[in-house]
Amino acid sequence: MTTTDAAGAGAASPRQGQGLRRRNTAVVVAAFAVVVAVEAAYFTCVYLPGGRAQAFASWRGRLSAIAADRQAALEAWVRERTADAHVVATYSKEITAAAAGAGAATPASNGEGTGTHLAGLLDQFAQAYRYRGAYVLDARGAEVARSGGSPALCNACLAAARAVLASGATTIDFYLGNGGAPVIAVIAPVTPAVAGTSIRSPLGVVVLTADPAAWVYPLLLAEPVPTESGEALLVRRAGGSALFLSPLRHRQAAPLTFTRPLDVTGFAAGELLVGRKEGFFASTDYRQVRVFAATKMIAGTGWGLVVKVSREEALAPFAARAWAIGVFLALLTAALALAGFGFWRSRRARYEVALARSEARFAHLFDHANDAVVVSRPDGRILAVNARAEALYGYPRAELLALAVRDLRAPETRPQLGDQVRQVLDGNGLVFETVHVANDGAPIPVEVSSRRIEWEGEPVLFSIVRDIRERRAAEERIRFLNRLLRTISEVNQLVVRERGRDRLLAEACQILVEHGEFHMVWVGLVESETGRVRPAASAGFDDGYLAAAEVRFDDSPGGRGPTGTAIRERRAVVANDWERDERVALWRAAGRERGYRASATVPLEGGGAAVGAMTVYADRPGVFTDEVVKLLVELAGDLSFALDAIEAERQKAAATAALAASEAR
């Protein structure tokens, strides 16, 4: 029973019931407000960010996979086109034609013109690999052969071919044809090593042109899952701008005609071309629309691949779900509020009856609490007690109500009462231990938990008093066991260092008295010839007890005591109350004079037989519990081991001396 429960039981009045009802209503309203606040906080701070992060992760995986797929396909296509150009650059007749264009003599070709033969080869190659045109230019950049049906090489391609003649590096790129249509051209130099000559500059170039609308643009436009705003596009840097190489979904601009500045902050294509930032980003597109974009660079080219979708479309499903959940939570909250209000209205009519029953029930709990409850005024006068307080103090309730708290305190604890009352009245509450006095004068150690409450309109001290005698006894038992453990440790150290039997036993007895705080300890050894137990060592309060006592280990009356029984039966014997235990009748009077109230005897063994016993005395009954006896048996075992070792050393020394004497004789 808690302090609050008991206070409610004692403070039963209609006015307090109405106050309690108002407080309960305020608590319910506050709880509902907290629920609404927690619900709103969770929706705003947990669900919405989590949902956005989940949608972001979903589109990251989707767009990154599309970008990686398109990147792999384009890079494979670029490698194939570049390899085709290198193959054409190895044709021997092409090399000869290019060399001739540079001023070398043109060799005969079995009556067939070199240019005609080369054109035929180019025509076959273009048809086989579906090129728009195949061209061979000489070292001056002049055309020497082309495939059949190929249109004239556009000016942009001619300029790029001359740049390859100057650099000697193969290139592939988009160019704007003379008619305004985009074309992809791969340009490879014809090197001297291929021709088997010692000339160091290119002898000419091979130009293969392809229509991007035949394969590249369809690859970019294809969507695994259709979207309203998604697109994949190719860009290339052109000075300080990004040049878009592929058709745009959201702008009417032909490929290679639309540019955007690279220095626009957050521009996905710009960050890719300038900083080579590949990956997945929340950025903007060429319309300055916020998008999710996955970017890749195409190896072997200067092209950048951007796969994007508008953030509005990407987050639309999540936004719809969030809106629906928000509406649902609002409706649910409103429904709960209405239901709670209706429930409160239905309960209000029955509240007074329920309150009266509750007060009666709590009064019953107050009176039947496990701990004593005392309600007192600040001046100490007792106003109310429960049945447990009557049982604890031994007073009838009427007599307790005529007393003050001071009358229940032990005289030595009364000086602290004033300070303790002031601390409780300050509103802090107080838990402390003290000593009370029962009706018969017996001291009662108690733990008091006291708090200030309102009792029928005035401040009082509400105190719960707990009897802690059992707890104190348990604490004392633990302290005693700890002392005994330290005692055993000290004896074990003695066993290790001491080699004399008499000194070992004497010091062991002294340690038990000093560290174990036993009243008296003695060790007796058996005399097989007489049946007596001869005292070998002792410590503590003896006062002639051992000299006068006749202790035996046979079946005579003197041998049926604890010590004789322990030796004869080789077991521990406990007499926890000498006033009632008949086994100590022969020694009771002498023990009573010396304060012996309990004893425990454990046998000492050696060579497979009991050689003596150790008896420990206490000045109060009930000391030798099972735990204590177990530790004493352990201690006796250590001493028995030491006695065996000492006896073995003695026998060894005697045998050595006898052998030496024999050898001397």
Side-chain angles (χ1 to χ4, degrees):
M1 177 177 178
T2 64
T3 302
T4 304
D5 295 337
S13 69
R15 181 175 299 176
Q16 290 174 337
Q18 293 173 2
L20 179 61
R21 182 177 63 190
R22 287 194 294 269
R23 288 196 298 272
N24 289 343
T25 302
V27 168
V28 170
V29 172
F32 182 76
V34 169
V35 169
V36 173
V38 170
E39 179 183 273
Y42 174 81
F43 182 75
T44 303
C45 301
V46 178
Y47 175 76
L48 290 180
R52 288 194 201 95
Q54 186 176 4
F56 185 84
S58 174
W59 279 100
R60 177 198 294 273
R62 180 174 170 179
L63 294 182
S64 298
I66 295 174
D69 179 67
R70 300 292 188 272
Q71 178 192 34
L74 288 169
E75 289 180 349
W77 188 84
V78 168
R79 288 194 299 270
E80 292 174 359
R81 304 290 81 78
T82 304
D84 290 345
H86 288 161
V87 170
V88 175
T90 62
Y91 288 172
S92 60
K93 291 186 178 296
E94 176 192 340
I95 302 301
T96 303
T106 304
S109 179
N110 297 326
E112 184 181 6
T114 303
T116 303
H117 180 64
L118 180 57
L121 292 175
L122 294 176
D123 188 37
Q124 293 176 8
F125 192 87
Q127 291 180 7
Y129 295 102
R130 298 180 181 179
Y131 284 101
R132 184 177 181 184
Y135 308 84
V136 174
L137 307 182
D138 63 13
R140 296 168 300 171
E143 182 180 305
V144 296
R146 76 169 76 168
S147 58
S150 300
L153 201 58
C154 66
N155 295 333
C157 294
L158 285 172
R162 293 188 182 101
V164 171
L165 284 171
S167 66
T170 302
T171 183
I172 182 170
D173 208 347
F174 285 80
Y175 302 96
L176 199 59
N178 293 337
V183 63
I184 299 178
V186 55
I187 306 172
V190 179
T191 60
V194 174
T197 67
S198 60
I199 303 173
R200 309 305 295 175
S201 60
L203 301 177
V205 293
V206 172
V207 181
L208 302 178
T209 62
D211 184 2
W215 186 85
V216 175
Y217 292 163
L219 172 68
L220 297 175
L221 295 174
E223 286 189 286
V225 179
T227 62
E228 295 181 0
S229 62
E231 60 181 322
L233 47 86
L234 287 174
V235 294
R236 171 169 54 81
R237 184 167 185 171
S241 301
L243 176 64
F244 289 83
L245 308 177
S246 58
L248 304 177
R249 182 173 184 175
H250 304 291
R251 187 174 292 276
Q252 296 296 325
L256 284 82
T257 63
F258 181 71
T259 60
R260 289 285 295 170
L262 291 173
D263 57 358
V264 176
T265 303
F267 180 35
E271 294 185 357
L272 174 64
L273 295 176
V274 174
R276 290 296 194 265
K277 286 184 64 177
E278 294 184 301
F280 181 80
F281 311 98
S283 55
T284 60
D285 66 356
Y286 53 84
R287 302 169 295 164
Q288 289 297 295
V289 173
R290 297 193 306 167
V291 296
F292 293 143
T295 58
K296 298 284 186 181
M297 290 300 298
I298 306 303
T301 71
W303 309 340
L305 173 65
V306 180
V307 181
K308 64 183 181 63
V309 68
S310 73
R311 271 189 268 184
E312 181 179 359
E313 179 183 358
L315 297 177
F318 161 70
R321 288 195 304 272
W323 173 258
I325 292 174
V327 171
F328 171 76
L329 290 177
L331 293 176
L332 178 62
T333 302
L336 289 175
L338 291 174
F341 179 74
F343 179 74
W344 176 78
R345 289 292 300 271
S346 66
R347 293 278 295 175
R348 184 175 181 179
R350 295 176 292 174
Y351 187 81
E352 295 298 335
V353 175
L355 179 61
R357 293 175 179 173
S358 176
E359 290 173 348
R361 183 166 56 252
F362 279 112
H364 177 77
L365 293 175
F366 172 82
D367 204 45
H368 292 81
N370 287 330
D371 294 324
V373 179
V374 178
V375 181
S376 60
R377 286 178 177 171
D379 61 4
R381 179 183 172 186
I382 298 175
L383 298 176
V385 294
N386 65 351
R388 184 72 182 99
E390 295 181 73
L392 177 65
Y393 297 112
Y395 289 101
R397 183 168 303 199
E399 293 186 22
L400 277 173
L401 296 179
L403 299 176
V405 173
R406 182 180 182 85
D407 299 326
L408 301 178
R409 298 286 290 262
E412 66 272 14
T413 68
R414 291 172 183 170
Q416 296 88 30
L417 181 59
D419 290 338
Q420 292 166 348
V421 170
R422 280 191 293 273
Q423 291 185 52
V424 176
L425 291 176
D426 288 341
N428 299 324
L430 187 63
V431 178
F432 58 93
E433 292 185 4
T434 186
V435 179
H436 284 187
V437 180
N439 190 13
D440 60 1
I444 309 172
V446 294
E447 179 186 77
V448 180
S449 176
S450 189
R451 182 172 294 276
R452 170 181 170 169
I453 66 168
E454 293 295 321
W455 181 280
E456 297 182 353
E458 65 174 321
V460 299
L461 280 71
F462 185 92
S463 303
I464 297 177
V465 183
R466 176 166 294 173
D467 184 353
I468 60 173
R469 283 177 288 192
E470 291 185 3
R471 189 174 77 189
R472 289 280 180 87
E475 292 172 352
E476 177 60 30
R477 181 172 61 85
I478 292 172
R479 285 193 293 269
F480 178 66
L481 289 175
N482 287 335
R483 289 201 311 269
L484 190 54
L485 286 172
R486 289 193 297 271
T487 301
I488 292 176
S489 176
E490 292 290 335
V491 171
N492 285 337
Q493 296 179 33
L494 172 67
V495 166
V496 171
R497 68 174 183 268
E498 185 57 55
R499 290 294 178 268
R501 186 192 69 178
D502 293 342
R503 185 173 178 80
L504 171 67
L505 296 178
E507 289 193 19
C509 293
Q510 191 65 35
I511 289 172
L512 281 166
V513 170
E514 292 179 357
H515 294 275
E517 299 182 7
F518 290 107
H519 198 54
M520 198 271 281
V521 180
W522 71 285
V523 174
L525 300 178
V526 300
E527 292 181 347
S528 302
E529 299 81 2
T530 63
R532 293 181 64 256
V533 179
R534 176 179 56 83
S538 67
F541 192 77
D542 178 8
D543 194 26
Y545 174 79
L546 294 177
E550 173 72 17
V551 181
R552 304 181 63 82
F553 65 92
D554 52 20
D555 198 28
S556 63
R560 298 194 189 106
T563 302
T565 303
I567 295 174
R568 187 172 60 255
E569 299 181 4
R570 297 172 65 181
R571 64 178 178 86
V573 178
V574 177
N576 250 332
D577 188 353
W578 269 42
E579 295 299 326
R580 292 181 175 85
D581 198 322
E582 291 303 320
R583 292 174 297 181
V584 299
L586 293 178
W587 306 274
R588 181 178 293 131
R592 184 186 296 123
E593 292 177 1
R594 293 163 177 81
Y596 303 161
R597 296 294 180 266
S599 68
T601 305
V602 289
L604 300 177
E605 299 188 5
V611 298
M614 178 178 66
T615 303
V616 181
Y617 297 85
D619 57 1
R620 62 186 185 279
V623 169
F624 298 103
T625 61
D626 291 342
E627 297 97 328
V628 175
V629 173
K630 183 177 179 181
L631 293 176
L632 291 175
V633 169
E634 179 182 341
L635 177 61
D638 296 340
L639 289 175
S640 297
F641 176 80
L643 292 175
D644 274 346
I646 292 172
E647 179 63 19
E649 289 183 3
R650 187 192 65 77
Q651 293 179 3
K652 180 179 178 182
T656 302
L659 179 60
S662 175
E663 290 176 348
R665 285 194 300 272

